[in-house]
Amino acid sequence: MKVSVQAVAVWGKIAPSHSITAIMITDDQQTIVTGSQEGQICLWNLSSDLKISSKEILFGHTASVTCLAKARE
């Protein structure tokens, strides 16, 4: 059985360039998710005073991320 693992990279205070093509906010309104033209998905922390800070980036898509959706429980 073939198992695929998606790589996750975490960066410091400055996020890499990211051409946003899709955006979504989580139900708890603490995380913003963005998709990019480069095929990346980025997670951003959103504080209660609306300050945004980079969290992590997910690589693996071979095409632009043009739509984001969340799964139901």
Side-chain angles (χ1 to χ4, degrees), residues 27 69-73:
D27 289 336
K70 55 189 170 191
R72 295 185 182 182
E73 292 181 17

Side-chain angles (χ1 to χ4, degrees), residues 8-68:
V8 176
V10 180
W11 60 81
K13 294 185 182 222
I14 300 174
S17 62
H18 181 73
S19 303
I20 295 174
T21 53
I23 190 166
M24 182 186 76
I25 190 165
T26 57
D27 289 336
D28 63 7
Q29 298 182 349
Q30 294 182 357
T31 303
I32 296 173
V33 183
T34 58
S36 78
Q37 184 175 355
E38 298 82 15
Q40 304 158 347
I41 295 175
C42 289
L43 304 177
W44 309 84
N45 290 320
L46 179 61
S47 68
S48 58
D49 58 347
L50 302 179
K51 291 186 180 178
I52 299 170
S53 59
S54 54
K55 185 175 179 181
E56 60 189 2
I57 188 168
L58 309 171
F59 296 93
H61 287 84
T62 57
S64 261
V65 177
T66 58
C67 182
L68 295 166

